[in-house]
Amino acid sequence: MVRTAADVASLEPGYADETTPLARAAEHSLLARRTAYGRPAVARPPATRVMVVANQKGGVGKTTSTVNLAAALCQLGQRVLVIDLDPQGNASTALSVEHRRGVPSTYDLLVNGATLAEVITESPEVPGLSVVPATIDLAGAEIELVSVVARESRLYRAIQAHPAVGAAAEAGEERFDYVLVDCPPSLGLLTLNALVAGEEMMIPIQAEYYALEGLGQLLETVEMVRQHLNQRLSVSTILITMYDARTRLASGVADEVREHFGETVLRTSIPRSVRISEAPSYGQTVMTYDPGSPGALSYLEAAREMAVRGAR
């Protein structure tokens, strides 16, 4: 049986008395690395799953979850495309993709009518991971798109026109298994484009009280988009992030979310982790920066769970 992060952390009781903390940490790291690299691949979905990662509240782990789940899915044998829709370009930074002004980006895709193939680049850190970077030009895209006809569906048309997006019968073995769209922390036109383009939505929720306050507004927006623009859209996944098991607040928020949303909430929660926070400063995800850390193992487990349960 494959060990999870929780299994690694709860080794036999006598272990703690026989070794030093440093030795225990080293042993945990070795066990975790063997676990991370020994995971079997999961079955590919029958068609490309286009997933929007959104929450209008900032600081809940949208970008962090997008890039780490993307890298974890690649480790599980999937082909993944990440579309960075945040003008800050943090997802592009974490995936070590250049996103200075002038680089082909999501701005060209939405405003200039470029094709998806023209703006895709490969992540040098993760084999099988493709990226559409975001540049600072994207900050003005909402204003420039105001007078454009069908401006809310430009991303949808660009994604669907790519030959590697679709069912296995049409797109073949070179298809993308997942398209993950990282949204800015707002409910503006960029996020609206993502919601129209997606079939599934993943909502990262920080295990703190404030994170719950804006959730109702977000779900109302999703329902409006479903009624008027995209009937295919469904909230398929909720991921609890920054979970601190030492606090009653975190467990209380997690229990409330699970009670309200049921099976939509992944069983795996993402713990608070310094390694997860450090990784982007090295142009990496935690999956490559420290694959044996509890944060990396948790994202790997969450990606597996997301892949196995499939689209709802």
Side-chain angles (χ1 to χ4, degrees), residues 21 35 100 153:
T35 299
R100 57 178 171 78
S153 61

Side-chain angles (χ1 to χ4, degrees), residues 63-64 67-68 89-96 99 125 273-286 288-289:
T63 298
T64 299
V67 298
N68 283 294
N90 291 336
S92 306
T93 299
L95 297 173
S96 198
H99 57 101
E125 294 295 325
S273 168
V274 174
R275 307 303 272 176
I276 292 176
S277 303
E278 287 176 348
S281 64
Y282 294 89
Q284 297 183 55
T285 66
V286 74
T288 55
Y289 177 65

Side-chain angles (χ1 to χ4, degrees), residues 12-297:
E12 50 271 14
Y15 179 78
D17 299 329
E18 299 169 5
T19 59
T20 64
L22 184 60
R24 289 200 302 274
E27 180 68 16
H28 283 184
S29 180
L30 288 172
L31 282 169
R33 286 176 189 276
R34 288 201 295 270
T35 299
Y37 288 117
R39 291 293 174 101
V42 296
R44 301 177 68 183
T48 304
R49 294 176 65 183
V50 182
M51 303 187 71
V52 180
V53 185
N55 191 330
Q56 83 275 19
K57 185 181 186 306
V60 298
K62 286 187 304 297
T63 298
T64 299
S65 295
T66 301
V67 298
N68 283 294
L69 285 172
L73 286 167
C74 288
Q75 290 185 7
L76 293 171
Q78 311 295 298
R79 296 186 74 245
V80 182
L81 170 64
V82 171
I83 299 178
D84 191 351
L85 265 190
D86 191 340
Q88 297 178 87
N90 291 336
S92 306
T93 299
L95 297 173
S96 198
V97 170
E98 192 172 13
H99 57 101
R100 57 178 171 78
R101 176 168 282 169
V103 169
S105 66
T106 44
Y107 174 84
D108 300 291
L109 194 69
L110 296 176
V111 178
N112 296 332
T115 65
L116 196 58
E118 292 173 330
V119 296
I120 287 178
T121 186
E122 301 299 318
S123 172
E125 294 295 325
V126 183
L129 179 56
S130 302
V131 185
V132 179
T135 65
I136 192 62
D137 294 325
L138 195 60
E142 295 199 6
I143 297 174
E144 295 182 59
L145 288 172
V146 166
S147 60
V148 176
V149 177
R151 57 188 178 271
E152 71 281 347
S153 61
R154 289 176 75 86
L155 182 61
Y156 169 74
R157 293 200 302 271
I159 291 174
Q160 295 303 316
H162 196 280
V165 173
E170 294 84 28
E173 289 301 308
E174 296 302 311
R175 72 187 182 279
F176 289 118
D177 298 302
Y178 292 84
V179 176
L180 302 182
V181 185
D182 182 40
C183 296
S186 68
L187 294 177
L189 188 54
L190 293 177
T191 300
L192 181 60
N193 256 271
L195 294 177
V196 172
E199 296 177 355
E200 301 179 57
M201 183 175 181
M202 184 181 79
I203 305 176
I205 297 180
Q206 185 180 359
E208 292 186 2
Y209 176 74
Y210 285 144
L212 295 175
E213 286 196 318
L215 190 57
Q217 181 186 357
L218 178 62
L219 294 176
E220 286 178 10
T221 301
V222 171
E223 187 56 36
M224 288 178 60
V225 171
R226 184 186 291 119
Q227 289 180 7
H228 301 289
L229 296 170
N230 181 8
Q231 295 181 356
R232 310 177 321 280
L233 183 65
S234 67
V235 178
S236 66
T237 308
I238 293 178
L239 176 65
I240 297 174
T241 62
M242 304 181 194
Y243 182 79
D244 189 345
R246 299 170 299 178
T247 66
R248 290 184 179 178
L249 175 62
S251 60
V253 169
D255 290 343
E256 187 173 342
V257 172
R258 293 183 195 282
E259 181 179 348
H260 192 274
F261 294 100
E263 291 299 312
T264 303
V265 186
L266 294 182
R267 293 190 301 273
T268 305
S269 299
I270 308 302
R272 285 192 177 274
S273 168
V274 174
R275 307 303 272 176
I276 292 176
S277 303
E278 287 176 348
S281 64
Y282 294 89
Q284 297 183 55
T285 66
V286 74
M287 307 306 299
T288 55
Y289 177 65
D290 190 355
S293 64
L297 289 174

